[in-house]
Amino acid sequence: MYDLIGDVHGYAKELRQLLEMMGYKSHRGLYKHAERKAIFLGDLINRGPDSKEVLQIVRPMVQSGHAEAVLGNHELNLMAFYTLNDQNKPLLSHSIRNILQLLPVMESFKNAEAELHDYIEWMYSLPLFIEHEDIRVVHACWQQDSIDFVRKNFHHKKVNRELMIKIFQQRGPESKSIHTIIKGPEIPLPKNRRTADAETVRRGYVRVKWWEDHKGKTYRQISSQSKVKLPNYKIPDNLINMDLSYPKDAEPVFIGHYSLNGKPFLLTQNICCLDFGVSKSGNITAYRWHGEHKLVSKNFVQIK
């Protein structure tokens, strides 16, 4: 059975508390459970103060077979920041904005750059999604066409330098599929409109609640972000041009990414988000899966 763990974002102390609450024991620094296995939903790093320590906890668990993990958008951005293209330039520019967004990771690895690069190499070994017989795991969105494209075109569902170049410097199917899976579908706001993301960066687009039917909905209703300054009129049908529906009889899928608020709740009977804003509330959220096809709220675990 599995324990699905949402976005940790560099909060090592809280992660240790959560693992110990769920019965994981540390032996020489390796956390393991006698009967269960952890699955991390991505975004292990950034925002919090201890990205390095979080990776020191998670990587041994994955490498020893006591855990699995998928890539999140924060890992992908860090990888791109330190990966060079054919012109010897970083795939993610070293602009002030990008440096500031990755600053918590850099500070965590101060005077340990070689170790940081070693962890980045390990990140390249993580898959973009996990599909077991009875459950699915992806960081942001299980959109079937994107999943199928990755399954067909990415070796072992992982990225490499060649694919990273296509993802960050081209607008082809590789980029579209990965951004849908790891960042989730987004739609542009009307002209001159802006909204703040989780890092308080003002952007001209919003994340979509892909698990809901968007037809006839307004920007406020369909956005997973702040509704305060979003327009309250209907979204043009052509802005969401892919099938985002997730079948009600499909295997349960677990996601992170969306920084929801409050007490954990199920999105649907088979879609579960485990990101409830650790950087805002201090809550790391997990779901203890026991084989059920219909998810139940009582299986949430949250550490403050």
Side-chain angles (χ1 to χ4, degrees):
M1 297 295 118
Y2 299 107
D3 294 314
L4 295 300
I5 300 175
D7 303 33
V8 178
H9 277 303
Y11 286 85
K13 177 183 176 181
E14 290 80 357
L15 175 58
R16 292 185 187 277
Q17 291 174 339
L18 177 67
L19 289 170
E20 290 166 6
M21 175 185 287
M22 294 192 296
Y24 288 77
K25 305 296 184 182
S26 176
H27 178 67
R28 296 181 179 178
L30 172 62
Y31 279 93
K32 55 185 178 180
H33 195 286
E35 300 173 346
R36 302 181 65 82
K37 188 176 185 179
I39 301 181
F40 293 91
L41 274 59
D43 280 1
L44 299 168
I45 59 169
N46 219 11
R47 296 185 183 164
D50 303 310
S51 290
K52 180 180 177 181
E53 187 178 348
V54 168
L55 293 173
Q56 289 172 335
I57 295 170
V58 174
R59 183 167 73 170
M61 293 181 69
V62 173
Q63 291 178 329
S64 63
H66 293 286
E68 299 177 64
V70 297
L71 275 180
N73 57 298
H74 283 259
E75 285 84 31
L76 194 72
N77 287 340
L78 180 69
M79 293 156 66
F81 191 84
Y82 287 101
T83 299
L84 303 179
N85 63 15
D86 294 335
Q87 289 74 45
N88 213 36
K89 294 182 179 181
L91 297 179
L92 189 65
S93 70
H94 290 190
S95 65
I96 296 296
R97 172 177 163 179
N98 289 335
I99 291 172
L100 289 175
Q101 287 188 318
L102 291 171
L103 192 59
V105 182
M106 298 175 185
E107 291 180 339
S108 183
F109 280 91
K110 188 177 181 179
N111 301 322
E113 188 169 341
E115 191 173 359
L116 173 60
H117 284 279
D118 184 55
Y119 277 110
I120 290 172
E121 285 300 311
W122 172 71
M123 290 174 189
Y124 272 98
S125 73
L126 299 180
L128 294 158
F129 61 89
I130 293 171
E131 189 171 21
H132 292 316
E133 183 177 357
D134 295 314
I135 64 168
R136 296 167 170 175
V137 176
V138 69
H139 182 62
C141 176
W142 193 279
Q143 198 278 325
Q144 198 61 51
D145 289 342
S146 299
I147 294 290
D148 290 342
F149 181 86
V150 169
R151 189 186 288 116
K152 181 179 179 180
N153 296 283
F154 287 48
H155 187 59
H156 294 309
K157 302 173 291 188
K158 301 173 183 177
V159 298
N160 55 29
R161 178 176 173 275
E162 178 184 357
L163 287 168
M164 287 286 284
I165 291 174
K166 291 181 179 180
I167 292 166
F168 280 88
Q169 297 196 327
Q170 301 176 16
R171 295 186 178 181
E174 292 86 0
S175 179
K176 181 180 179 181
S177 296
I178 296 309
H179 280 86
T180 299
I181 288 172
I182 285 192
K183 295 185 177 182
E186 298 170 329
I187 57 172
L189 285 166
K191 188 176 181 180
N192 298 326
R193 294 273 188 166
R194 292 290 184 272
T195 187
D197 65 9
E199 283 88 16
T200 69
V201 175
R202 296 187 65 76
R203 302 185 185 275
Y205 53 83
V206 295
R207 293 175 179 173
V208 169
K209 293 179 181 177
W210 60 269
W211 52 89
E212 294 186 3
D213 183 4
H214 67 274
K215 293 180 180 179
K217 297 284 184 69
T218 67
Y219 283 89
R220 289 187 191 178
Q221 291 173 320
I222 204 63
S223 171
S224 66
Q225 298 166 262
S226 173
K227 313 298 187 299
V228 177
K229 296 183 179 180
L230 293 179
N232 196 29
Y233 49 82
K234 291 182 180 179
I235 300 169
D237 290 338
N238 65 326
L239 288 188
I240 303 179
N241 55 12
M242 64 174 67
D243 182 8
L244 298 175
S245 61
Y246 191 76
K248 293 182 179 179
D249 60 349
E251 294 84 356
V253 61
F254 294 87
I255 61 174
H257 187 59
Y258 289 95
S259 193
L260 304 177
N261 296 312
K263 184 178 178 181
F265 58 91
L266 295 170
L267 303 180
T268 73
Q269 67 178 14
N270 63 343
I271 303 176
C272 178
C273 179
L274 292 173
D275 179 12
F276 282 83
V278 61
S279 59
K280 296 182 293 185
S281 63
N283 298 329
I284 298 179
T285 306
Y287 183 96
R288 309 208 78 179
W289 186 74
H290 300 280
E292 65 274 12
H293 187 76
K294 184 178 180 180
L295 304 177
V296 288
S297 297
K298 68 178 182 180
N299 289 347
F300 281 114
V301 178
Q302 193 175 70
I303 184 73
K304 294 186 177 182

